[in-house]
Amino acid sequence: MERRTIEPRPGWQRTVEDQGLIYPLTRYPDDTLRPYWDESAYYVFSLPEVEALEEVVEELHAMCLATAEHIVEHDRFADLGITDPRVADRVAEAWRRRDELPYLYGRFDLRYDGTGPAKMLEYNADTPTSLVEAASPQWFWMEERFPGADQWNSLHERLVAAWKKQAPLLPPGGPLYFAHSAADELGEDLMTVAYLRETAEQAGLAAESISVEDIGWDRLSRRFVDKKLRFIRSCFKLYPWEWLTTDRFAPHVLETLDNGGGTGSTLWIEPAWKMLLSNKALLAVLWELYPGHPNLLPAYLDGPRELAATGGYVAKPLLGREGAGVTVHDPGAAPVLREEPCCYQELAPLPDFDGNRVVLGAWVVEDEAAGLGIRESAGPITDEYARFIPHVIL
């Protein structure tokens, strides 16, 4: 693994916008705009390096599924902050019927510097972002700048294949809706959903787009409908389950949840069992079940334990995105217990490449490793100001 600098292509912003990345710039607190898509640098990997990382990702994914099984069978929903028995029951049902439910993708965030084992930082398994840039502009960048080279990137073909494979699990009687929140100002959610809709249509599925805010509730039929009052039988949503099960429509979601077998009226993708994997408590249960695993970091739910005195720790809210609410505690500092439920994970400082802190986003489609996206940040936490850097296998 090596970071190299390179001159950006002339007109790069227009190029990536035409490829679906309509948010190539990030607005900073001082109101300046700086590149989010940053092709002034790139990372180089060897093929054996990527093959080894693929094996790690698939092993971690299998371990996460086994941990989800443990959580359900031992009724450990409270560890995840799931205290509503209705939600726990529906998640458990979805897990037990998972072979009847379509599921698509997830993204592992890994600490890796090319010298030691990759370490799992978290698993974004419900509403992961940065898919568009990883799947499309990154690939076209490589083809233009390094023709004949390769990239850890089979995202597009695997997504199309996944939709084809799982199409028989979709209920009949209507298109597959693709929903995002209209509150998305940057266009990231919009384009992620639009891209996924494109892969579904390439797989032969009938699809329509809708905003979450335009999904209505028909009180007479007691079903979710679109603006034309058509029943919504299946819907891919870029909208977290923790919101879907707590907002004002939550009782209707739980009442009509289709967990396979036609028992409800709306089948949601990702399925409800993804709540087991997108929660930071997963990290602590993983460490409990696989203590000392070379690709895991020690993590606990009841406090930092020995981490405060040894290598330091990071406190992460059980639910959160883009580093929101994450705090870093250096070794030797007095342990701090937060009021909100948190996961306390061993501090593993991100690798520093020329002053840039890097995290690998390794994608899984269904159950297979499918691609890589790299984000850089100036500080120790990968937040909303991180930059996306392309990569190549040489």
Side-chain angles (χ1 to χ4, degrees), residues 151-175:
Q151 191 175 81
W152 183 7
N153 190 358
S154 58
L155 279 163
H156 188 84
E157 51 265 43
R158 287 185 184 272
L159 288 167
V160 174
W163 286 123
K164 289 181 179 179
K165 176 183 174 182
Q166 303 201 47
L169 299 177
L170 295 173

Side-chain angles (χ1 to χ4, degrees), residues 75 77-78 81-91 245-246 250-251 254 275:
D75 192 17
F77 291 98
I82 301 176
T83 56
D84 186 334
R86 298 172 303 167
V87 176
D89 287 346
R90 298 306 260 157
V91 172
T245 55
T246 55
L254 298 174
M275 290 184 75

Side-chain angles (χ1 to χ4, degrees), residues 193-349:
V193 167
Y195 173 67
L196 287 168
R197 174 182 171 177
E198 178 186 343
T199 61
E201 289 175 333
Q202 289 185 17
L205 300 179
E208 291 200 22
S209 297
I210 191 171
S211 71
V212 171
E213 291 79 3
D214 283 339
I215 297 176
W217 175 252
D218 187 321
R219 288 178 292 177
L220 294 178
S221 65
R222 304 200 63 76
R223 298 182 73 169
F224 286 108
V225 295
D226 66 12
K227 295 184 73 172
K228 297 180 180 179
L229 300 183
R230 295 176 296 182
F231 294 153
I232 297 177
R233 282 293 289 114
S234 57
C235 181
F236 175 92
K237 87 287 180 299
L238 201 65
Y239 192 77
W241 268 105
E242 63 265 23
W243 297 355
L244 204 62
T245 55
T246 55
D247 68 17
R248 65 192 184 97
F249 285 100
H252 304 319
V253 171
L254 298 174
E255 173 192 343
T256 63
L257 182 60
D258 186 344
N259 268 339
T263 56
S265 67
T266 302
L267 183 149
W268 300 95
I269 308 170
E270 297 290 306
W273 62 261
K274 284 296 189 84
M275 290 184 75
L276 302 169
L277 304 186
S278 60
N279 189 300
K280 304 300 189 299
L282 173 76
L283 302 170
V285 185
L286 271 168
W287 184 251
E288 175 187 325
L289 299 181
Y290 302 94
H293 191 282
N295 302 119
L296 297 179
L297 293 167
Y300 309 103
L301 295 176
D302 57 356
R305 300 190 191 181
E306 79 283 355
L307 304 178
T310 55
Y313 65 95
V314 176
K316 299 180 176 182
L318 299 188
L319 299 169
R321 287 157 185 81
E322 294 188 320
V326 174
T327 55
V328 177
H329 303 262
D330 293 326
V336 177
L337 289 180
R338 299 193 14 190
E339 292 185 6
E340 64 178 318
C342 284
C343 174
Y344 301 87
Q345 185 184 52
E346 181 180 78
L347 175 61

Side-chain angles (χ1 to χ4, degrees), residues 6 19 30 51 68 82 87 95 134 175 180 185 204 289-291 301 311:
I6 191 173
Q19 293 164 354
D30 62 2
E51 291 174 337
I82 301 176
V87 176
W95 173 255
H180 75 287
E185 297 180 354
L289 299 181
Y290 302 94
L301 295 176

Side-chain angles (χ1 to χ4, degrees), residues 48-242:
E49 216 172 7
V50 168
E51 291 174 337
L53 284 169
E54 286 181 323
E55 291 182 5
V56 167
V57 168
E58 292 185 359
E59 181 180 3
L60 286 172
H61 178 68
M63 290 161 54
C64 288
L65 295 181
T67 302
E69 174 79 19
H70 170 86
I71 292 170
V72 171
E73 293 308 310
H74 291 82
D75 192 17
R76 297 187 60 178
F77 291 98
D79 287 339
L80 279 64
I82 301 176
T83 56
D84 186 334
R86 298 172 303 167
V87 176
D89 287 346
R90 298 306 260 157
V91 172
E93 179 189 28
W95 173 255
R96 293 180 178 126
R97 306 189 69 163
R98 61 191 179 279
D99 290 341
E100 303 170 48
L101 301 172
Y103 64 97
L104 199 60
Y105 69 150
R107 190 194 77 232
F108 282 96
D109 284 349
L110 303 175
R111 187 224 179 267
Y112 180 72
D113 63 4
T115 62
K119 298 289 186 179
M120 176 181 171
L121 300 174
E122 57 189 60
Y123 194 9
N124 302 275
D126 181 20
T127 57
T129 52
S130 75
L131 176 67
V132 173
E133 45 269 48
S136 180
Q138 178 177 225
W139 179 262
F140 291 120
W141 168 89
M142 179 203 67
E143 288 191 321
E144 184 174 340
R145 301 310 300 263
F146 298 95
D150 201 359
Q151 191 175 81
W152 183 7
N153 190 358
S154 58
L155 279 163
H156 188 84
E157 51 265 43
R158 287 185 184 272
L159 288 167
V160 174
W163 286 123
K164 289 181 179 179
K165 176 183 174 182
Q166 303 201 47
L169 299 177
L170 295 173
L176 171 61
Y177 288 82
F178 284 79
H180 75 287
S181 174
D184 167 39
E185 297 180 354
L186 296 177
E188 183 175 11
D189 290 358
L190 168 68
M191 293 310 299
T192 300
V193 167
Y195 173 67
L196 287 168
R197 174 182 171 177
E198 178 186 343
T199 61
E201 289 175 333
Q202 289 185 17
L205 300 179
E208 291 200 22
S209 297
I210 191 171
S211 71
V212 171
E213 291 79 3
D214 283 339
I215 297 176
W217 175 252
D218 187 321
R219 288 178 292 177
L220 294 178
S221 65
R222 304 200 63 76
R223 298 182 73 169
F224 286 108
V225 295
D226 66 12
K227 295 184 73 172
K228 297 180 180 179
L229 300 183
R230 295 176 296 182
F231 294 153
I232 297 177
R233 282 293 289 114
S234 57
C235 181
F236 175 92
K237 87 287 180 299
L238 201 65
Y239 192 77
W241 268 105
E242 63 265 23

